[in-house]
Structure formats: structure tokens, C-alpha cells
Amino acid sequence: QMPRGNLETVHHRALVLAQLRKWLDSLRFREAFEVMRKLRINLNLIYDHNPQVFLENVESFVTQLDSVNHINLFLTELREEDTSRSMYPRPDSSSSQAPPPPPPPPPGVTKVDVVCDALRRCLEALDTHRFCLSILTTHVKKTVPELEVALQKVHELRVNPPGAAGAVSAEEALKYLLFLVNVNELYEHSLGTYDFDLVLMVAEKSQKDPKEYLPFLNMLKSLETNYQRFTIDRHLRRFRKALQHLSKCGEERFPEALQLIKEQKLFSEALRLYPAGGAPHKALSRAYADHLMEQQQPEQAGLLLWRCGEPAEALQAFVSGSSWRNAVSAAQQIPLPPPQLALLARQLAEKLMEQRRYSEAALLLDQYAKDCEEAIAALITGALWEEALRLIHMHDRQDITETDLKPALLEACGSQVSFLEAQAVTFSRHRARLAVVRQQKLKARLELLDDEAADCVDADLFSEASSVMTNSRYSHSNSRISSRSSKNRRKAERKKFSLKEGSPLEDCALLCALSDIISTVDKMREEVHGLLKALVLFQFDGQAQKLQLAYGEALHTMEAAVPEIWQDVPQQSQAPVTGPNSTANSITASFNQQKPAAAQPDAEILTPPKMRNGVKWKLAVLQ
Amino acid sequence: QMPRGNLETVHHRALVLAQLRKWLDSLRFREAFEVMRKLRINLNLIYDHNPQVFLENVESFVTQLDSVNHINLFLTELREEDTSRSMYPRPDSSSSQAPPPPPPPPPGVTKVDVVCDALRRCLEALDTHRFCLSILTTHVKKTVPELEVALQKVHELRVNPPGAAGAVSAEEALKYLLFLVNVNELYEHSLGTYDFDLVLMVAEKSQKDPKEYLPFLNMLKSLETNYQRFTIDRHLRRFRKALQHLSKCGEERFPEALQLIKEQKLFSEALRLYPAGGAPHKALSRAYADHLMEQQQPEQAGLLLWRCGEPAEALQAFVSGSSWRNAVSAAQQIPLPPPQLALLARQLAEKLMEQRRYSEAALLLDQYAKDCEEAIAALITGALWEEALRLIHMHDRQDITETDLKPALLEACGSQVSFLEAQAVTFSRHRARLAVVRQQKLKARLELLDDEAADCVDADLFSEASSVMTNSRYSHSNSRISSRSSKNRRKAERKKFSLKEGSPLEDCALLCALSDIISTVDKMREEVHGLLKALVLFQFDGQAQKLQLAYGEALHTMEAAVPEIWQDVPQQSQAPVTGPNSTANSITASFNQQKPAAAQPDAEILTPPKMRNGVKWKLAVLQ
């Protein structure tokens, strides 16, 4: 069946386009334009056909067309679309003769703006007066219409009427503008030029009631220039400009400005307008700081307060943001008396301890609270053994080694060993259960194939198959693993799966849990290394050996188990299922193989966790 | 065509195996054993058919066989292979009746050991004397043959000859052992029991010349027990045991022990044998420390020296290992006089500066060298502005803010901005070039299809096609990017590709380079954030704004470019090309689409770099 439509016309248009392309290539813009106009072919093609050639030959285009109306027609039809691709694509056979794709334009520069600016430059060079209306069009057509510039040009025509013959009068130009742009919009923009003559000129052309606009204009005229412009800008809701003008009206207008700043949240602009050191700048900084505190940005609030000479207020902001370095710096600048500084340091240290930032807490306690005992205790809590020992020696407090450090080391060692044992147990339980689940799924799939019960939903079948196993010993999930390692994102992901025996995605849940255990254990390398060194230093060789053995075994078991656990899972590094040697059967087979792993398992679950074997943690002295 | 071989036999064996399985399932071991022996079916199957059932019914197995010879036959034939899978797999149809796969054995436990131990337990409980030879076999067959235990049992038979009728004599038992094990091996192991009667017994049975072994045995007999055992162990090259016995020979033998320890690198064993605090332990620690220094383990050497009461020597080890915390701790324990401590701190700080560990260097300079100026300078070098400011306020040295901190801030800001500009330029150059290269490859491919010149190698064609472009402006590669970000691994990978224009894998090289720029720029988030805050604090709002803008634009440009740059590249998250809706054509199409990206690009190149959009770096006050 033939496609519908008039074949002759289609063919005809293709011929026309081919001809047009030839004309455009040979810069015969006039012929092209005439035909396009007649046959209603989108004029954008003149540019789109070869943008670079057009831009290099704008003058030729203008002189060939030699008509303000035609140029305006071209301009008003401009849009961003590339018609050489969308409406008039080249036939495929000629694609090899196509010009290379244009380099991507710099961000924020659009085709319409490029053409408008290029044409205006050319027209202004040729004859400002003759092409006046076209020039106005180039302003109006821009992505962000330059109405004020256009209006300004109209205003100039009124002030200095051109003497040249055939030149456009202000009247005519304004009429033309009103034809292109909505009158209210034009009126507003005329106000924005702060030029009352121009405003009146537009207002008179509009159907506006003079009783409405005259009193307003007269009120404005009575104001001081900057305040007048501020009032206009505020009326036009151009608050940034409004603030700029208001800031020039002297300090007595500052309360009004501050009002505006707060209402419109123009704080950062305002900071640039009021010179640093002055009273307004300081008031502004405080207001901004209040705003930033509300926005949960206490640190930036603190910086503003501090730099405007308010270290005490800055201190409060820094404290609430746990920005402890700035807090103590500001405190010392105030200067806070030593007992209060110590109190501050303790307060900050407490917060940092909550965030597990033990070494920073210890620094505060040591250097600002002058409490080396607490500092050492913080480091011991954080398992930062070497740093604790450094402070012990620095303050010559070897007694703490006996009373605190050594017992903590032994406790840490014991708890690490038992944690590792628990992880190993959970790991092998999940691993065994995973093998069982996989076996069941395989069996269920085979039975499915046997029975050809294709209408039976897989998931139901699997849960049935595994419900047989309810009495096995693998029925309780691990509740401890996740507490230590996993990220929030993973947590959310894992919620989709349940470790409950017989749940449809139990294998995914097991993969997740196994992966988590491996990551958790792998992350302990640095901590175990530090603990082993400290144990050796204090002659706890036996305990250290036990830990080294337990950790080494845990890592070894898990690393060795990875290929088995992630065996059926397609690896990222694997070759794609399709390839030069693949057949329809092999593709189907690989597809069938992939499918049963899970409904739609995320890539992350299917990737075995990376182990950082590059991080050396073992001690030779314990081997 | 039929498979070769005697079909009847094959069928017969299948029937036999089916019968065997039934017998084994009903615990009729005797019938099974007889048939297997007759038909030379591997006896391992008795265990492999269902390991758990066998282990639970070992006694029934023994009583049914009721023959030492048969039990020995079974034992000697044992091997690790699972014959129920390798030699005698079940026919597929019966797989559903198969027992569940056994839980994976704990690591280090092998099948042969399990069977030997289970059988021995049973045989010893039934009749030690009657099954004497089988019990010996269970010792000899273990993965690590327990020859000494076996020999010990033979020796007991000689010392206490059993009175029971039919009991095996020592003579017979030894003969049997010599039948199972090489005589020299047995002689060596008899030496290892330190039982000279046993040695003589074995030696007499062997063809050894008494003139050879008698003098040696007599010499040994003359030695003190521990030294005697040491001598035997050394002779048998059991150096660990040798050291254990030597360590019991008193301090006068310590030099000999130290010699052995050094020769055989038995340092960690030795540390356990010599009590801490004694002179040997200290000498040992020094020797071990020397060894560890040679092994490039200065920190562990330092720990050993420190704990055995040699802080000065420990200090040297810690210094050479840049283990600065331990170094200053040891130094203060010596105690080093303040000027030398200061010198040490400077020396360590210099090393740390070379490793870009600026905050640690600053701590040393501040707290141990008592040189706050140098400390602050170190922090400024490391762009650690807040910490520098903290030290400035701590030491009340605001003058440094003016002389050093502020100029450094401005310099850092300027260099960051120009670095970002350079990166942006290189980025857009590579991006544009990538588009060109892809276009060329596409074109080349289309031409290839047109000409059906399938015998023409792609790479040649591509380089030909791109050689046309040699005059373009994208001919120089970036030399600066790699210096900052990339890891060694990536570097090695990238070596395979060349950014040289027209090189066969130029697109891969461009992808690498683009990915590197993105990673480099993305890594700057924290640094830029810190710099912005410091700039704001010192009222350098203009510069800060410029930096914030430049960095924001760079990040935005790169993020926006990612989909275009990694467009044709198969994403990991994408659905596989095969799927329920795929057809042979769609698979082929997706394959064709993937192929031209590169010969065999690594997965890493094809993955767009991850941007850490979670790391907030922008300041609200600068917006």
C-alpha cells in the first residue's frame, strides 16, 4: 500500500528544497527568499541550512533582500528550532555532503539571539535610519526582549528627528513597536527607562486613562532621582534594581532598605551595596545572620557576625553549628576568660564526641579545657591508641597507661574478637542458606519446565517450594550487621527484600546481608592494625595473636566465598551476552539464566563488594 | 551414529548402580561391598552416596563387613573425590530424590580425615586388638599421616603384648606399617618420637646398616633430654620444635638458640619462648628489630625495641618509618632534652610535609618544636585555613593574618580560578573533538556498509578518515590534568590509548581524559568550600564570588555534558539487550550499536564518573 498524500507535491517540494540548498550554497539569498515566501517554506532554513555561511554573509543577505519588510518577515519568523533537521531534513543519500555539525554554542547563547545581533550590527552599519524598524525588531525578538533599548531608540528619534529622506519618525516607530508588543508591557518598560517623556509618549498611544497615570507620574517626578527610580523599580517588582537605587539615598533611608532586603531576601546583594565598616553594613550583617540561622546555616551566620566585629554573637552561631575551630578562635578574640573558655571547650567536645569525632574532642579538652585526663579518655573511647599514648607521654602521665589504656586495649581486643566470631557465624549461616534457596529455585524452575505450567507465577511457586523448609535452623535474620556498616541508601534498598525464610526475594536479601558483612569486616583493617600495634607494645602478644588470627581467618573465609556467592550473578566485566559467536539459542539461554536470580535486582546487589587487599594490617611479629 | 562402547555393559552398570544405591539407602553395606569389590566399583561411593547416613551408621558398616582386610581395603581406597558426582553421577530423572547437598565442611576438614576418624572411633570402641591393623591404617591414611601415633601404638604392643587370642603382635603390626609406609620415612618419624626402643625396632626391620645408625643413637642417648630432643628435631629439620627444646636448656644455650632463630627466622616463635624481662628476650628483640628493619618494617621494629626498654633505639626506628606519634612519645620517655626534641620535631615535620600531611606537621612544629610561626606556615601551605586561624588566635599572632594568611588566601583563590578555567577549556575541547571523532567513525561505518568492503579492517579506515582532520585545532593533548587526579592504575590503563589525533582509540583516550577532568574538578568541593569561607571571613567577597561562580559553572557544565559524552555507552543500569520484548533484529541492532565504541574498551571507561552532589560546597552569602 502506498503512503497517503499527493505524491507529486511531495516530490515537487523535494526538488524545490534541493534547488533552495543550491541557491543558499551559492549565496543567492534573494531567489531563495522569494521562492520560500511563495511556497510558505519556513524562512529559518536560510540560517539553518548553513549557519556559519549565513553569519559570514549577512550583509549580502540584507543587500539582496533590500527590503525592510522582508527583513522583518525573516526576523519575526525566527525560532530556536533547527529546521534543516526537523522540517526539512536532507535526504540520506546526500548526508555525506552535509557540512560538519556546528560546534556546540557556548551555554546561554541561542540561535535567535545570534541572528538578531548579527543582523543588527549589519543594519546599523549600512543605514540606521532606513533600517530603523528592522533594528527595532532585532531588539524585540531577542530571547529576553530588549524593550527598553528599543524604546530608548524611539525616544531618540523624537528628541533628534532624523533629517534624512525616508527616515522613520518617532511616531511611526512607536506604532510599529506597539504592533509587535503588548501596550501594557511596553508602558511598564517605558517606566523602567526612568524617562518620563518616553512614558508619556507610550501612554498617549495606549488606551490608558490619563487620570490614572498622570497623578502617578507627577508623584514620581517630585521625588529625588534615586528614590524616584527606586519607587519605579519597586512598582515594576524589579527589587534588585530598586535596592540599588535605594542604597544611594543615604543612611536615613536605610530602615526602608532593610525592610526591602528582609522582605525580598536580598541580603547578599545588599552586602555588596553597603560598604563594610559602616553602621548599615553591620545592621545588615546581623539581619542576614538571623536569616541564615533560620536557614540552618549557622556557620555562615557566624562568619558574617565575626567579620563585622561581633565575635561574641559569632561564637554562639559557631557553637550551634559545631564549627569548633572558628568557635574557639572567636572566643579567644573576645577574649573569653580561661574558665569560660574551658567550659566552652568541654561543651564543644561533648558535641564532637556524639559525632564520633574523638580526636577533635581530645584537642579541645587538652588545649582549651587543659584537661589531659579527659582528652586521653576521649582518645581511648575513639580507639585512637597512638594519639592517646602521645598525650600520656606529653603530660608525663604514664599512670593512665596502667589505669585506663591497657584495660581498654584488652577490652577492645576481646570485643573485636567476639564481634568477628559473630560475623563469621552469621556469614556462614547466610551462605549455607543461600545455597539452599538457590537449589530450591533451580528445582522449582526445572519442575516448572517439566510441567509446562507456564501460567503459574514464579514467585508463588518459589515461596511454596521454600515453605517446606520452615523447620530448618536458618530462620532468624541477623539484626546486628546493619547497625554497623550500611549506608542509608542501602538500607532503603534492602527494605525491598526480606531475610524471612521463604520470602520471594530471600536470595537478594541474603546477598545484601552477605555483602554488608564483608564490607563491615573489610572496613576494620585500619582499626585492627592500630589495635594490634598497641597490644604488641604492651606485651599483650597472646591476645594480639588471637585477634590477628581471627581477623585473618574472617577476611580469608569471606574472600574465598565471594566467587561462590556471586557465581550466577552476571559480572559487569563479563562480555555481553550478544557477540560475534552468539546464536539465537545462546542468547536465549543466557537470558533464561539471568532471569531467575530475582525479579529485577539492582546492579549493586549483583556486584560483589570490593575488598581493600591493598590495606596491609597484619603484623609480622605476630605470625 | 551410535556412541561407541558396549551398550550392554553400560546399561548393566547403570542397573548395578541403581541396586547399589538401594542397598546403601537400606544400610545393606555387606551386599553393596561384595558387589562393588567384584565389579571394581570405587569403594568411595559407600561414603559418597550419602555421607551423613554413612557417618551415622559406621558401626553397622564395620559389623556387616566383619573383616579387618575388607575394612583396610575400604580405607586404602579412600580419596577426596566425590565419586557420586564424578564417576557415578545419578541419572537426571532421579535428581529430585537426591539428598540435599551436604552443608559445606568447615575449612581444613577433609572427607578422608572425617572417615578415618569416625572409623577409628568405632573400631577402638569395638575391639582395639582385633582391629589393630585397621586402626593403624586410619592413622596412616590421614591427610597428614599420623605416623608417630601409629608407631607409638606399635611400641605399646611390644611393651605390653596383648594376651587376647588372635591379637596382633608388635612384630606383625610393624610389618604391616612398613608395607604401608616407606621405611626411611618411618625411621625418621620413629626418631621424632624420641623413643630409642622404637627407633631400634624400626631400624632393625629396615635394611639399614647398624654401623651407621648405632653411633648416632648412642651419641643422642648421652645428651641431656631437652638438648637431645633439640638435636633430633634439628636433624629432622623440625626447627620450631628444635627451638622449643633448646629454649628449655638454660641461658648458656641461648647463643646457639639465637643462631638458630636468625638462620630460620623463628623470631616470633622465640619471643613466646623466652619470658619478657629477661636478658635473652631483650637480645632477641634487638635481633628481631634488626631483621624487621631489613624487611622495611621500621615501625614494628620500634615497638619491639621500645617495649624491651630501649626507647632511644626505638626512636630511630620510628623516625625512619615516619611513625611520628610513637617517635615523640619515645623521645619524651628517654627523655630527650627540649632542644633535641625540637630538632626531632622539625625533622619529622619536614618528612610529613613532603607527604602532604600538613596538619600533622603543624602539630609537631607547634607542640614539640614550639614554633608557632612555622606551624601556621605549614597549615597555610596545606590550605588548612581554619586550623591556621585557630593557631593564630591561640598564640595571639594576628599579625600573621595580615602578613601571610590573607595573601595566601588571595593567591589560592586566583590559582583555583585559573585552574578551573584551564580545565573548562580542555574539557570543551575534548568534548568537541569527541563529537567529531564519533561522527567520523559513524560515517566510516556507513561507508563500510555501503561498499560492503567487509575485509577492510575498521581501525585502518578510521585512522584514514580522521587523517583528513589533521589541521583542526584539537591536536594537542592535555598534559596537566593527569598530574593532579588520576591513580596509577588508571594511568596504566590510559597508556593503551593515545589522545594523538587519528589514533585508533582516540575516542577512548578522550573519554578517559574527560572522565579525569570531571573527577579532578569534583574532588575540589571540600577545598573550595573551605577557601570560600575563609575569603568571606576576610571580606574578600568579590574574589570569593568569582571562585564560587567559576566552580559552579565548571561543575554544571560537566554534569550537563555527562549524558552526551557517555551517550552511546551502554550503562550498567540499563536493561540488558535481551529481554521479553527483544527480537533477533533488536539484539543484532543493539550489538551493532555497541561495537564501534572501541575495540574492547574497559568497563571503567564506559562508566561516567560519579559526581558527589551530596557534598555541599556553595555559600549562600555569595549567591
Side-chain angles (χ1 to χ4, degrees):
Chain A
Q1 201 189 335
M2 294 294 291
R4 292 183 208 171
N6 189 331
L7 258 185
E8 273 94 335
T9 311
V10 173
H11 203 186
H12 176 76
R13 169 162 271 201
L15 285 179
V16 167
L17 285 171
Q19 181 59 48
L20 278 178
R21 291 198 188 94
K22 275 185 200 156
W23 276 334
L24 290 172
D25 284 337
S26 52
L27 303 180
R28 293 168 68 177
F29 294 111
R30 192 190 172 86
E31 284 90 337
F33 185 86
E34 296 289 354
V35 168
M36 289 168 90
R37 222 182 123 203
K38 210 174 288 166
L39 298 178
R40 295 176 179 265
I41 288 170
N42 193 300
L43 295 174
N44 280 276
L45 188 61
I46 296 175
Y47 171 85
D48 295 333
H49 173 68
N50 193 334
Q52 206 168 343
V53 166
F54 178 84
L55 291 176
E56 281 163 7
N57 296 283
V58 168
E59 192 173 335
S60 172
F61 172 74
V62 169
T63 49
Q64 282 186 41
L65 258 62
D66 199 35
S67 152
V68 173
N69 280 341
H70 287 181
I71 292 169
N72 289 351
L73 196 63
F74 173 73
L75 281 168
T76 48
E77 211 168 283
L78 277 179
R79 46 179 151 138
E80 286 305 323
E81 187 183 335
D82 180 354
T83 56
S84 75
R85 285 168 197 272
S86 60
M87 302 170 76
Y88 314 113
R90 276 166 201 281
D92 280 346
S93 60
S94 66
S95 68
S96 51
Q97 289 103 49
V109 175
T110 69
K111 164 187 153 185
V112 174
D113 289 357
V114 166
V115 177
C116 285
D117 291 343
L119 265 174
R120 184 177 342 103
R121 264 192 306 277
C122 171
L123 295 169
E124 283 179 344
L126 286 171
D127 190 336
T128 323
H129 294 305
R130 184 170 166 223
F131 293 113
C132 175
L133 296 186
S134 297
I135 291 170
L136 291 178
T137 315
T138 63
H139 287 298
V140 170
K141 269 300 286 184
K142 285 199 72 171
T143 315
V144 179
E146 298 165 348
L147 295 183
E148 275 134 66
V149 184
L151 282 165
Q152 207 57 53
K153 290 195 172 167
V154 173
H155 184 56
E156 257 165 52
L157 288 178
R158 161 162 288 186
V159 178
N160 304 310
V168 178
S169 71
E171 196 82 355
E172 286 169 312
L174 190 59
K175 242 185 195 161
Y176 180 70
L177 268 188
L178 282 166
F179 159 73
L180 287 178
V181 190
N182 172 287
V183 65
N184 287 320
E185 208 179 323
L186 211 58
Y187 172 75
E188 298 279 80
H189 278 87
S190 69
L191 258 179
T193 62
Y194 316 118
D195 182 333
F196 292 99
D197 293 348
L198 196 62
V199 176
L200 277 173
M201 199 174 90
V202 175
E204 281 159 11
K205 282 285 153 203
S206 77
Q207 272 88 42
K208 279 185 180 286
D209 181 359
K211 279 183 199 145
E212 260 182 47
Y213 63 78
L214 279 180
F216 179 61
L217 291 182
N218 288 332
M219 181 276 283
L220 285 175
K221 276 185 186 166
S222 70
L223 299 174
E224 181 270 331
T225 312
N226 277 314
Y227 197 71
Q228 177 195 76
R229 293 184 170 193
F230 153 71
T231 313
I232 290 171
D233 291 330
R234 198 181 47 187
H235 173 79
L236 297 175
R237 304 193 60 80
R238 304 193 305 197
F239 297 111
R240 267 152 225 267
K241 265 198 167 172
L243 181 61
Q244 277 167 23
H245 287 122
L246 189 53
S247 71
K248 290 176 193 152
C249 299
E251 275 194 30
E252 69 275 15
R253 293 284 190 195
F254 180 68
E256 202 171 340
L258 194 55
Q259 185 70 18
L260 179 70
I261 291 161
K262 284 183 184 172
E263 273 171 21
Q264 298 301 329
K265 313 260 185 291
L266 295 172
F267 296 104
S268 13
E269 287 78 9
L271 280 179
R272 268 165 255 162
L273 296 172
Y274 292 90
H281 191 88
K282 193 162 184 168
L284 198 55
S285 296
R286 283 162 180 270
Y288 196 3
D290 286 346
H291 175 66
L292 286 166
M293 290 298 283
E294 280 167 23
Q295 299 289 306
Q296 314 297 334
Q297 297 283 8
E299 191 175 36
Q300 291 181 51
L303 292 173
L304 288 185
L305 290 165
W306 196 6
R307 74 180 197 174
C308 79
E310 295 291 348
E313 288 179 41
L315 172 58
Q316 290 316 309
F318 287 137
V319 168
S320 77
S322 282
S323 182
W324 66 271
R325 284 194 180 82
N326 285 328
V328 292
S329 297
Q332 291 195 311
Q333 199 180 27
I334 295 178
L336 222 56
Q340 275 173 266
L341 183 62
L343 210 66
L344 172 70
R346 280 177 198 282
Q347 186 190 348
L348 288 166
E350 204 175 322
K351 273 195 177 189
L352 293 171
M353 293 283 282
E354 281 165 18
Q355 297 168 39
R356 300 178 160 264
R357 292 160 68 182
Y358 300 105
S359 70
E360 290 160 274
L363 191 156
L364 281 166
L365 292 166
D366 180 37
Q367 298 187 17
Y368 294 89
K370 307 283 178 200
D371 185 341
C372 80
E373 283 184 24
E374 278 295 313
I376 294 166
L379 293 169
I380 288 175
T381 309
L384 300 160
W385 315 109
E386 257 183 50
E387 180 71 356
L389 197 61
R390 184 180 76 78
L391 283 201
I392 283 173
H393 280 101
M394 192 166 187
H395 296 286
D396 204 11
R397 288 292 306 269
Q398 268 89 335
D399 58 306
I400 299 178
T401 306
E402 299 303 323
T403 57
D404 293 69
L405 184 59
K406 284 188 183 178
L409 279 172
L410 291 177
E411 202 194 314
C413 180
S415 83
Q416 294 281 45
V417 168
S418 49
F419 179 75
L420 284 168
E421 280 166 2
Q423 295 296 81
V425 167
T426 318
F427 187 83
S428 65
R429 197 176 61 216
H430 284 338
R431 183 185 172 185
R433 174 67 190 157
L434 182 64
V436 171
V437 173
R438 282 180 172 163
Q439 178 88 359
Q440 286 173 354
K441 289 209 169 181
L442 186 75
K443 213 169 120 186
R445 209 152 15 105
L446 290 173
E447 281 168 13
L448 190 70
L449 288 176
D450 279 357
D451 305 350
E452 295 191 328
D455 51 341
C456 169
V457 180
D458 282 14
D460 289 354
L461 193 90
F462 294 163
S463 66
E464 236 178 80
S466 44
S467 67
V468 181
M469 296 291 294
T470 330
N471 289 324
S472 101
R473 60 200 174 95
Y474 307 116
S475 57
H476 300 293
S477 79
N478 58 322
S479 57
R480 195 181 165 182
I481 305 157
S482 58
S483 64
R484 205 164 156 146
S485 72
S486 54
K487 304 162 208 162
N488 287 335
R489 184 171 45 79
R490 278 225 158 178
K491 263 187 198 163
E493 199 169 66
R494 204 185 311 116
K495 270 189 191 163
K496 289 186 287 181
F497 315 123
S498 163
L499 277 171
K500 209 175 127 233
E501 199 149 308
S503 83
L505 295 176
E506 190 187 348
D507 49 355
C508 290
L510 288 165
L511 272 180
C512 272
L514 287 164
S515 176
D516 277 354
I517 296 177
I518 293 178
S519 309
T520 304
V521 171
D522 188 66
K523 263 185 207 136
M524 292 165 68
R525 285 174 199 259
E526 289 84 358
E527 203 178 332
V528 169
H529 182 63
L531 181 54
L532 287 175
K533 286 193 293 183
L535 286 167
V536 164
L537 180 59
F538 294 109
Q539 312 266 15
F540 298 129
D541 292 21
Q543 288 89 336
Q545 252 142 22
K546 209 176 151 192
L547 174 59
Q548 174 148 316
L549 202 69
Y551 191 51
E553 265 175 17
L555 283 176
H556 178 76
T557 309
M558 291 171 190
E559 200 176 0
V562 162
E564 179 208 295
I565 295 172
W566 279 270
Q567 58 181 350
D568 297 334
V569 172
Q571 302 294 301
Q572 290 173 4
S573 56
Q574 268 183 345
V577 285
T578 53
N581 300 321
S582 71
T583 63
N585 284 343
S586 77
I587 294 167
T588 314
S590 75
F591 167 60
N592 282 338
Q593 215 177 13
Q594 278 169 23
K595 199 186 158 203
Q600 269 189 329
D602 300 74
E604 201 172 338
I605 303 166
L606 303 181
T607 320
K610 275 193 185 156
M611 299 189 77
R612 299 171 302 142
N613 289 331
V615 181
K616 300 298 171 211
W617 60 273
K618 258 189 193 173
L619 295 193
V621 298
L622 295 172
Q623 270 163 351
Chain B
Q1 197 190 337
M2 296 294 291
R4 294 183 207 170
N6 188 331
L7 258 184
E8 271 96 331
T9 311
V10 171
H11 202 188
H12 177 76
R13 169 163 273 202
L15 286 179
V16 167
L17 285 171
Q19 180 58 48
L20 277 179
R21 288 196 190 94
K22 276 183 201 158
W23 277 332
L24 289 172
D25 284 336
S26 53
L27 304 179
R28 292 167 69 179
F29 294 112
R30 194 193 168 83
E31 285 89 339
F33 184 87
E34 296 291 351
V35 167
M36 289 169 88
R37 223 184 120 202
K38 213 174 286 166
L39 297 177
R40 294 178 180 265
I41 289 171
N42 193 301
L43 295 175
N44 280 274
L45 187 61
I46 297 174
Y47 171 85
D48 294 333
H49 172 68
N50 192 333
Q52 207 168 341
V53 166
F54 178 83
L55 291 177
E56 283 162 5
N57 297 280
V58 168
E59 193 175 336
S60 173
F61 171 72
V62 169
T63 49
Q64 284 186 38
L65 259 63
D66 198 38
S67 152
V68 174
N69 280 340
H70 287 179
I71 294 170
N72 288 352
L73 195 64
F74 172 73
L75 282 168
T76 45
E77 212 168 281
L78 278 179
R79 46 179 152 139
E80 286 307 321
E81 186 182 339
D82 180 353
T83 55
S84 76
R85 286 168 197 272
S86 59
M87 301 170 78
Y88 314 114
R90 275 165 201 283
D92 280 345
S93 59
S94 65
S95 68
S96 50
Q97 290 102 47
V109 176
T110 69
K111 164 186 153 186
V112 172
D113 288 356
V114 167
V115 177
C116 284
D117 290 343
L119 265 175
R120 186 180 335 107
R121 264 193 306 275
C122 171
L123 295 170
E124 285 178 344
L126 286 173
D127 190 337
T128 324
H129 294 306
R130 190 177 161 216
F131 293 115
C132 174
L133 296 187
S134 298
I135 292 170
L136 290 179
T137 316
T138 64
H139 287 299
V140 171
K141 269 302 288 185
K142 286 198 72 170
T143 316
V144 180
E146 298 164 347
L147 296 183
E148 274 133 64
V149 185
L151 282 165
Q152 206 59 56
K153 290 193 174 170
V154 173
H155 183 56
E156 256 165 52
L157 289 179
R158 160 162 288 185
V159 177
N160 303 313
V168 178
S169 69
E171 193 82 351
E172 285 168 315
L174 190 60
K175 242 183 192 162
Y176 180 69
L177 269 189
L178 282 166
F179 159 73
L180 289 178
V181 191
N182 172 287
V183 66
N184 287 319
E185 208 178 321
L186 209 59
Y187 173 74
E188 297 280 83
H189 277 86
S190 70
L191 257 181
T193 63
Y194 316 118
D195 182 333
F196 290 101
D197 292 349
L198 197 64
V199 177
L200 277 172
M201 199 174 90
V202 175
E204 281 161 10
K205 283 285 151 201
S206 76
Q207 271 89 41
K208 279 184 181 284
D209 182 359
K211 278 180 199 149
E212 257 181 49
Y213 60 80
L214 278 180
F216 179 61
L217 292 183
N218 288 332
M219 182 274 285
L220 286 175
K221 277 185 187 168
S222 71
L223 299 175
E224 181 270 332
T225 311
N226 277 313
Y227 197 71
Q228 178 194 76
R229 294 184 168 193
F230 153 71
T231 312
I232 291 171
D233 290 329
R234 196 181 49 186
H235 172 79
L236 297 175
R237 301 193 63 78
R238 303 194 303 197
F239 297 111
R240 269 153 226 264
K241 266 199 167 170
L243 180 60
Q244 276 168 22
H245 288 123
L246 189 53
S247 71
K248 291 175 192 156
C249 299
E251 275 195 31
E252 70 273 14
R253 293 286 191 191
F254 180 68
E256 201 172 341
L258 193 57
Q259 184 67 20
L260 178 68
I261 292 161
K262 285 183 183 172
E263 272 173 21
Q264 299 300 329
K265 314 261 186 289
L266 295 172
F267 295 104
S268 15
E269 285 79 10
L271 280 179
R272 268 166 256 162
L273 296 172
Y274 291 90
H281 191 88
K282 193 162 185 168
L284 199 54
S285 297
R286 284 164 179 266
Y288 197 2
D290 286 346
H291 174 65
L292 286 166
M293 291 297 285
E294 279 169 23
Q295 298 288 308
Q296 315 297 333
Q297 297 283 8
E299 193 176 35
Q300 290 183 51
L303 292 174
L304 287 186
L305 291 165
W306 197 6
R307 73 179 198 174
C308 79
E310 295 290 349
E313 288 180 40
L315 172 57
Q316 290 315 312
F318 288 136
V319 169
S320 77
S322 282
S323 181
W324 67 271
R325 283 192 180 83
N326 286 329
V328 291
S329 296
Q332 290 193 312
Q333 199 181 29
I334 295 177
L336 223 57
Q340 275 174 266
L341 183 61
L343 209 67
L344 172 70
R346 280 179 197 283
Q347 185 192 346
L348 287 166
E350 202 174 322
K351 273 195 176 188
L352 292 171
M353 293 283 282
E354 281 166 18
Q355 297 168 40
R356 299 176 162 266
R357 292 159 70 180
Y358 299 104
S359 68
E360 291 160 274
L363 191 156
L364 281 167
L365 292 166
D366 181 37
Q367 298 186 19
Y368 294 89
K370 307 284 176 197
D371 185 341
C372 80
E373 284 186 24
E374 278 295 313
I376 294 166
L379 292 168
I380 288 174
T381 309
L384 299 161
W385 314 109
E386 259 184 49
E387 181 71 356
L389 197 61
R390 184 180 77 77
L391 283 200
I392 284 173
H393 281 101
M394 192 164 185
H395 297 286
D396 204 11
R397 287 294 304 271
Q398 269 89 334
D399 57 304
I400 299 179
T401 306
E402 299 302 324
T403 56
D404 292 69
L405 185 58
K406 284 188 183 179
L409 279 172
L410 291 175
E411 202 194 314
C413 181
S415 84
Q416 293 281 45
V417 168
S418 49
F419 178 75
L420 285 168
E421 280 165 2
Q423 295 296 81
V425 167
T426 315
F427 187 84
S428 64
R429 195 176 62 213
H430 285 336
R431 183 185 172 183
R433 174 68 191 156
L434 182 64
V436 171
V437 173
R438 281 180 173 163
Q439 179 87 2
Q440 287 174 353
K441 289 208 169 182
L442 186 75
K443 213 169 119 185
R445 213 155 8 110
L446 291 173
E447 282 170 12
L448 190 68
L449 288 176
D450 279 359
D451 305 352
E452 297 190 324
D455 51 342
C456 170
V457 180
D458 284 14
D460 288 356
L461 194 89
F462 295 162
S463 66
E464 234 177 81
S466 46
S467 67
V468 181
M469 295 290 293
T470 330
N471 290 326
S472 100
R473 59 200 174 97
Y474 307 117
S475 58
H476 300 294
S477 80
N478 58 322
S479 57
R480 196 183 164 180
I481 305 158
S482 59
S483 64
R484 208 167 152 141
S485 73
S486 53
K487 303 159 208 162
N488 286 336
R489 187 171 43 81
R490 279 223 158 179
K491 263 187 198 160
E493 200 170 65
R494 203 185 313 117
K495 268 189 191 164
K496 292 186 287 183
F497 316 124
S498 164
L499 278 171
K500 211 176 128 230
E501 200 150 307
S503 83
L505 295 177
E506 190 187 349
D507 48 356
C508 289
L510 289 165
L511 273 180
C512 272
L514 287 164
S515 176
D516 276 353
I517 296 177
I518 293 178
S519 307
T520 305
V521 170
D522 188 66
K523 261 185 210 136
M524 292 165 67
R525 284 174 197 260
E526 289 84 358
E527 203 177 333
V528 169
H529 182 64
L531 182 53
L532 288 175
K533 287 194 290 184
L535 287 167
V536 163
L537 180 60
F538 294 109
Q539 312 265 16
F540 297 130
D541 293 21
Q543 289 90 335
Q545 253 142 23
K546 209 176 151 193
L547 175 58
Q548 175 148 315
L549 203 69
Y551 191 51
E553 265 174 16
L555 283 177
H556 177 76
T557 310
M558 290 171 191
E559 200 176 359
V562 163
E564 180 208 295
I565 295 172
W566 279 270
Q567 58 182 349
D568 297 332
V569 172
Q571 303 295 301
Q572 289 172 4
S573 56
Q574 267 181 346
V577 284
T578 54
N581 301 319
S582 70
T583 63
N585 284 343
S586 77
I587 294 168
T588 315
S590 76
F591 167 59
N592 283 339
Q593 217 178 10
Q594 279 170 21
K595 198 185 158 203
Q600 269 189 327
D602 299 74
E604 202 173 338
I605 304 166
L606 303 180
T607 319
K610 273 193 187 156
M611 299 190 76
R612 297 171 305 139
N613 290 329
V615 181
K616 300 299 170 209
W617 59 274
K618 257 189 193 171
L619 294 193
V621 297
L622 295 173
Q623 269 162 353

